[in-house]
Amino acid sequence: MSFLPNIVFIILLCIGGGFFIYNIRKLIRNIRLGKAEDTSGNRKERLKNMLWLALGQQKMLVRPIVGILHIIVYVGFLIINIELLEILIDGIFGTHRVFASLGKFYNFLISSFEILAFLVIVSVTVFWIRRNMLKIPRFRKIELKGWAKKDASNILYAEMVMMSLFLLMNAADAQLQALQVPHYVKTGSFAVSGWIMLLFQNTSVETLITIERSCWWLHIIGVLCFLNYLYYSKHLHILLAFPNTYYASLRPLGVTKVNPIVTQEVRLMLDPNTDSFATPQDNIPTDNFGASDVTDLTWLQLMNAYTCTECGRCTDECPANLTGKKLSPRAIMMKTRDRLEEVGRNIDKHGDFKPDGKQLLGNYITPEELWACTTCNACVEVCPIGISPLSIIMDMRQYLVMEQSAAPTEFNVMMTNIENNGAPWAYSQADRTIIIDE
């Protein structure tokens, strides 16, 4: 018996697994470039969010047909990985269908996997039609040009191919079992590939073995490639949706995060001779107010950027975007991720970040986009996995106002009136009771 296939398999597994670990470590490093954010406490509420949003796909079902199709793909991805465990064991030890000893339960599992695989192919086909033929408006936005558009299609093609290989492999295997070829253990019926095997009725044993082995190798190589493609794809949410929904903000949507530095500055302005109001968290040092680059954002906001599925529901609900404004919440997340990746490559090249003359504000996200936001929280409410583009928008607005004094003219007039008159209108307090006779 030759051990060469086992050795080749182990080498491929080590290369694929090693590169995956390398990318995950780089991902964690990039996320840690963000500032600290307190996400402690409320574990029960956080766990509930994760179970409902990430595992239960609660918000996906707001649009039932698409939601159900997505759940099929999601469940298929999770459950068929059980079959992947058998492939790994067979590949390392040279066995074939090592779990076949489970008997009828194994037959039930294989049939379930096949039905799911078939449903995944149907669902992915529908998704492809929606993106490329029906031309749904939210898939036609300007931010989905180039790589973003190709990435979505690449994943759909990959899922189709891998599920097809799985079914074709089983069909050839089933025919080899029917012919009682040694090494191909009898495992019972196959719900879907049992029909495909009819195509192989007159195929020679050698050809069947070639088909079965080729599909087996291509399937596992495809899985390893897919695993490492995730880092470069919007489908990174497969891994990050769970921590993202767990650590998502629990504040009511209308409550804006208070910057403790601003609070401390205001207290010192009111009473510069005392810091009795200050609390330990108020004394956190800061380089600037708000955020102008990704390193000014929190680690949770950076994880939000990596988790974004680019589904476009946020942009689809955004009133500013619907009225023709430049703002797209999806683009905010995509641009944040692009800038973070650029910073990461800078660190990879130099060992530490070297100033490159760029920043998130200006080079990626424009003030026009930021000031178009109405802060209605529609984007946050509709996001299937708890991402908050608004938090990034508000932090960058704070930078514009407090660091650059670059608020729109209307805002400056209003704030001047508040400072001088105690109200946003251009009337002194003494004139407020005067009735103006038109």
Side-chain angles (χ1 to χ4, degrees):
M1 178 180 176
S2 173
F3 292 100
L4 181 60
N6 308 73
I7 295 172
V8 172
F9 180 85
I10 292 171
I11 291 173
L12 286 175
L13 190 62
C14 290
I15 293 173
F19 193 58
F20 175 73
I21 293 171
Y22 168 78
N23 280 333
I24 290 299
R25 291 182 64 181
K26 187 162 63 172
L27 173 70
I28 294 172
R29 180 207 64 191
N30 289 353
I31 291 174
R32 285 180 174 173
L33 293 175
K35 293 183 176 180
E37 177 156 339
D38 184 14
T39 55
S40 60
N42 298 303
R43 292 184 179 180
K44 190 173 294 186
E45 185 69 20
R46 293 183 182 281
L47 184 60
K48 178 183 175 182
N49 278 351
M50 183 179 72
L51 292 177
W52 275 103
L53 298 181
L55 189 62
Q57 308 273 300
Q58 183 187 37
K59 288 189 178 181
M60 291 296 299
L61 292 173
V62 172
R63 304 180 184 189
I65 296 177
V66 176
I68 291 171
L69 292 175
H70 187 274
I71 287 175
I72 288 172
V73 175
Y74 169 70
V75 172
F77 173 81
L78 291 180
I79 294 181
I80 291 176
N81 280 330
I82 300 173
E83 175 264 344
L84 183 61
L85 178 61
E86 181 181 56
I87 288 181
L88 291 176
I89 294 174
D90 287 344
I92 293 172
F93 297 103
T95 54
H96 185 74
R97 296 196 177 275
V98 69
F99 293 152
S101 59
L102 296 174
K104 292 183 178 179
F105 180 64
Y106 181 77
N107 296 340
F108 168 76
L109 285 178
I110 291 297
S111 292
S112 300
F113 295 163
E114 290 203 342
I115 292 171
L116 272 172
F118 176 74
L119 291 175
V120 167
I121 292 173
V122 172
S123 301
V124 167
T125 301
V126 173
F127 290 151
W128 186 90
I129 292 173
R130 281 167 53 81
R131 279 185 175 272
N132 298 285
M133 296 180 67
L134 298 182
K135 299 181 179 180
I136 306 299
R138 63 190 170 97
F139 298 139
R140 310 288 294 176
K141 299 289 185 180
I142 190 170
E143 65 265 21
L144 284 189
K145 304 295 182 183
W147 168 249
K149 183 178 180 180
K150 290 180 181 178
D151 176 39
S153 295
N154 288 344
I155 290 294
L156 296 179
Y157 296 140
E159 289 174 343
M160 286 182 190
V161 169
M162 285 194 289
M163 294 301 103
S164 298
L165 286 171
F166 170 66
L167 294 175
L168 194 59
M169 175 188 74
N170 281 355
D173 198 321
Q175 181 64 14
L176 288 166
Q177 292 176 31
L179 295 173
Q180 298 183 345
V181 176
H183 187 66
Y184 288 90
V185 184
K186 186 72 175 176
T187 58
S189 60
F190 295 84
V192 177
S193 60
W195 295 94
I196 302 175
M197 67 178 284
L198 297 176
L199 300 174
F200 299 140
Q201 290 295 315
N202 300 317
T203 306
S204 67
V205 171
E206 291 76 12
T207 303
L208 286 171
I209 292 175
T210 300
I211 292 172
E212 189 274 335
R213 286 290 85 192
S214 298
C215 290
W216 189 92
W217 279 101
L218 289 173
H219 181 72
I220 190 62
I221 291 172
V223 169
L224 291 174
C225 291
F226 179 83
L227 191 65
N228 285 289
Y229 180 74
L230 288 180
Y231 176 81
Y232 306 96
S233 167
K234 74 189 187 80
H235 281 70
L236 193 56
H237 72 272
I238 292 173
L239 303 178
L240 292 181
F242 290 91
N244 197 80
T245 50
Y246 181 84
Y247 290 113
S249 172
L250 299 178
R251 293 189 303 272
L253 292 185
V255 178
T256 303
K257 181 176 66 175
V258 176
N259 188 325
I261 307 301
V262 175
T263 302
Q264 180 175 336
E265 290 294 324
V266 171
R267 287 170 175 168
L268 291 174
M269 287 170 61
L270 292 173
D271 188 358
N273 297 318
T274 179
D275 60 352
S276 59
F277 293 105
T279 56
Q281 67 266 27
D282 293 326
N283 295 315
I284 303 172
T286 182
D287 295 329
N288 50 254
F289 295 107
S292 63
D293 210 348
V294 289
T295 52
D296 299 323
L297 299 172
T298 69
W299 65 266
L300 182 57
Q301 290 170 317
L302 299 185
M303 186 164 69
N304 276 187
Y306 273 123
T307 311
C308 179
T309 70
E310 298 177 15
C311 66
R313 283 172 169 79
C314 53
T315 297
D316 211 27
E317 297 288 334
C318 176
N321 188 272
L322 291 173
T323 54
K325 303 294 193 303
K326 192 175 180 180
L327 173 65
S328 167
R330 171 173 56 189
I332 294 293
M333 304 313 300
M334 293 172 67
K335 291 173 181 178
T336 301
R337 183 179 61 214
D338 289 345
R339 173 56 180 165
L340 182 54
E341 276 293 290
E342 184 176 49
V343 170
R345 290 191 295 271
N346 185 306
I347 294 173
D348 291 337
K349 182 178 180 179
H350 301 289
D352 198 5
F353 180 73
K354 301 295 181 184
D356 58 1
K358 297 181 182 179
Q359 59 179 9
L360 183 61
L361 178 59
N363 296 102
Y364 285 84
I365 300 174
T366 65
E368 181 184 352
E369 294 173 80
L370 300 176
W371 293 116
C373 178
T374 66
T375 68
C376 67
N377 270 296
C379 57
V380 186
E381 175 65 33
V382 77
C383 180
I385 47 179
I387 292 171
S388 177
L390 180 59
S391 68
I392 295 177
I393 291 171
M394 294 302 291
D395 282 354
M396 297 181 77
R397 275 186 176 184
Q398 188 177 84
Y399 179 86
L400 286 171
V401 174
M402 302 192 70
E403 292 288 334
Q404 295 189 336
S405 299
T409 302
E410 295 84 357
F411 277 36
N412 287 329
V413 170
M414 179 190 70
M415 287 186 282
T416 300
N417 288 336
I418 291 174
E419 181 180 3
N420 296 331
N421 304 323
W425 303 284
Y427 302 103
S428 67
Q429 295 184 27
D431 293 336
R432 291 181 197 172
T433 58
I434 297 176
I435 298 178
I436 300 177
D437 188 2
E438 295 183 356

